[in-house]
Amino acid sequence: MGGWKRVAGSIALIAATTACGNHAPPADPPSSTDTITSTTRTPRVVDESGRSAITFDPCLDLPDDVLVEAEFDPRSKRPSEYPMESYTFLGCSFKSTFSAFDDDRLSVLAGNVTLEEEWEKNAHISTHTNINGRDALFQLDPNNKNTCAITVRTEFGMVIFSRTRFPDDARSLPLNEWCADLDQAVALFEPHLDQ
């Protein structure tokens, strides 16, 4: 297994707080001499490949309420990054909040690699599909025990959503259980990929 699939495979699979109302008077509006802070975020990692900058950070851009709806714990997020010479991946992993198994882990990898390049490398485990009308690849490798992935096209490249299930008895689950409901979770995340 080479290239970015090795990067994806090497990711360690792994709340919002609310404030009470405050009765202080409202702050004065900023004067024309006040400095205005830019809302543009600097990418976590930038490579020198000439490829597009990755504008989606899985640890920052998946809203907590959407993660909760998809049954993943926002507090469990673990960032990772893989700058390479010719491409980059930003990653984040999340632990499931509900599973019929002992543990589910979701790894989200945003990369400036095209969906076509991913197809060229992994057509043998991939099937063309779409998520909310967006081009995607459904990826199931029988040699990657209890793991299923959906890779989605983005403006900067692609995002891989890879889930691994860990039953408490360490058995290999039936293939139909590897991917169950993953497409529903990815459909919840898809609207946030190019914002």
Side-chain angles (χ1 to χ4, degrees):
M1 183 187 314
W4 53 82
K5 275 303 180 186
R6 186 175 24 203
V7 170
S10 70
I11 289 185
L13 299 173
I14 332 195
T17 57
T18 56
C20 295
N22 122 15
H23 300 291
D28 291 332
S31 72
S32 59
T33 58
D34 288 344
T35 303
I36 297 175
T37 305
S38 169
T39 57
T40 303
R41 184 176 67 230
T42 302
R44 189 168 15 135
V45 175
V46 177
D47 61 46
E48 298 187 18
S49 66
R51 292 178 181 261
S52 299
I54 300 169
T55 56
F56 169 77
D57 187 321
C59 278
L60 299 177
D61 296 328
L62 289 176
D64 287 356
D65 61 330
V66 176
L67 284 161
V68 169
E69 185 178 356
E71 299 182 338
F72 290 96
D73 184 357
R75 297 168 301 177
S76 70
K77 67 180 69 172
R78 298 289 179 270
S80 55
E81 49 202 45
Y82 303 94
M84 305 291 179
E85 290 180 15
S86 58
Y87 56 84
T88 294
F89 280 94
L90 297 181
C92 200
S93 62
F94 304 91
K95 186 175 179 180
S96 177
T97 56
F98 173 81
S99 175
F101 309 104
D102 183 51
D103 195 5
D104 275 6
R105 302 284 173 134
L106 178 71
S107 171
V108 184
L109 265 181
N112 55 0
V113 173
T114 67
L115 199 65
E116 288 75 19
E117 289 173 297
E118 176 66 9
W119 174 261
E120 280 182 36
K121 252 185 162 17
N122 292 296
H124 63 288
I125 61 163
S126 301
T127 305
H128 287 284
T129 187
N130 74 78
I131 299 293
N132 299 339
R134 188 190 292 251
D135 289 343
L137 299 174
F138 173 81
Q139 299 179 295
L140 181 61
D141 182 352
N143 298 315
N144 198 0
K145 180 179 169 184
N146 299 338
T147 299
C148 184
I150 296 176
T151 301
V152 181
R153 183 189 305 279
T154 65
E155 292 177 2
F156 57 80
M158 66 181 192
V159 176
I160 302 169
F161 296 90
S162 178
R163 185 190 62 204
T164 302
R165 305 199 125 157
F166 297 95
D168 54 8
D169 56 5
R171 65 192 159 95
S172 183
L173 299 167
L175 276 177
N176 66 332
E177 292 184 20
W178 295 15
C179 300
D181 303 325
L182 179 59
D183 58 336
Q184 294 173 32
V186 176
L188 293 172
F189 301 142
E190 181 276 331
H192 304 280
L193 299 183
D194 289 322
Q195 293 185 353

